[in-house]
Amino acid sequence: AQSVAQPEDQVNVAEGNPLTVKCTYSVSGNPYLFWYVQYPNRGLQFLLKYITGDNLVKGSYGFEAEFNKSQTSFHLKKPSALVSDSALYFCAVRPFSTGTASKLTFGTGTRLQVTL
Amino acid sequence: DGGITQSPKYLFRKEGQNVTLSCEQNLNHDAMYWYRQDPGQGLRLIYYSQIVNDFQKGDIAEGYSVSREKKESFPLTVTSAQKNPTAFYLCASSIMDTQYFGPGTRLTVL
């Protein structure tokens, strides 16, 4: 069975400082990895994904994530945080599959709080 | 304007009543999904559908039912058999491995 761990319930960072939101995963075979962001009372917005290729993936709003196979991690990063980045962030994983539907497993989420 | 719409945004239900949550997409995606979100638990998969007239149970299907009569529509019915239905419900559709989400429906049982 696949699983995702987001070890921090909340991450606090000052505006302008770099931020990291951690994610580790467990899956059989090669993973497909995703990051989503959720603002209050809204749906999830897709940020970025890793399927194959370069371990450093760039996504929306200046976010990037680094895939580390040996550590089974996919940490989300941003060089300079903004107050508007404050939201709930979800990491998700699925195994490689040729099926039409992609059955994702989500972490429990990490709340990012960026302060002035 | 393409996207996924969910209605209503807020829904209140009395105990013992069935309610149906709407999900419509005009993205021409084949696959659609329903998730339930509870505080501190992330998202849990209720049902998913890969094509019209076909759907599979997810991890927490008990007390829920779905239909997929049209490619664009994937309604979710929360039945009276669902013991704790108060939650935020999210619909998604997917293409090329990526799921895209609607704005959600918040269901409250009174």
Side-chain angles (χ1 to χ4, degrees), chain A residues 41, chain B residues 5-12 20-23 34-35 37 85 87-91 102-108:
Chain A
N41 294 312
Chain B
T5 57
Q6 292 186 241
S7 62
K9 186 174 178 65
Y10 298 97
L11 186 57
F12 298 90
T20 298
L21 283 59
S22 169
C23 178
W34 273 105
Y35 292 90
Q37 184 178 17
F88 191 49
Y89 290 87
L90 288 160
C91 177
T105 292
R106 188 166 296 281
L107 173 63
T108 303

Side-chain angles (χ1 to χ4, degrees), chain B residues 88-99:
Chain B
F88 191 49
Y89 290 87
L90 288 160
C91 177
S93 65
S94 70
I95 189 166
M96 298 294 288
D97 306 307
T98 302
Q99 292 186 22

Side-chain angles (χ1 to χ4, degrees), chain B residues 42-59:
Chain B
L43 277 71
R44 292 181 291 169
L45 183 64
I46 304 172
Y47 269 97
Y48 65 103
S49 169
Q50 298 188 65
I51 55 172
V52 174
N53 293 322
D54 182 65
F55 48 83
Q56 287 79 41
K57 293 181 179 180
D59 300 319

Side-chain angles (χ1 to χ4, degrees), chain A residues 2 94-95 97-106, chain B residues 23 29-36 44-61 64-68 71 73-76 90-94 99 101:
Chain A
Q2 60 211 51
R94 57 159 283 208
S97 169
T98 56
T100 304
S102 55
K103 200 175 170 186
L104 287 177
T105 297
F106 286 84
Chain B
C23 178
H29 291 174
D30 287 318
M32 297 186 73
Y33 313 78
W34 273 105
Y35 292 90
R36 170 182 171 138
R44 292 181 291 169
L45 183 64
I46 304 172
Y47 269 97
Y48 65 103
S49 169
Q50 298 188 65
I51 55 172
V52 174
N53 293 322
D54 182 65
F55 48 83
Q56 287 79 41
K57 293 181 179 180
D59 300 319
I60 55 164
Y64 300 98
S65 66
V66 294
S67 63
R68 187 86 187 275
K71 187 175 185 178
S73 179
F74 192 41
L76 173 74
L90 288 160
C91 177
S93 65
S94 70
Q99 292 186 22
F101 286 80

Side-chain angles (χ1 to χ4, degrees), chain A residues 8 11 13 18-23 75-78 110 112:
Chain A
E8 302 155 315
V11 170
V13 65
L19 70 87
T20 298
V21 182
K22 295 179 181 178
C23 171
H75 301 331
L76 182 70
K77 301 180 180 184
K78 188 174 183 182
T110 297
L112 174 66

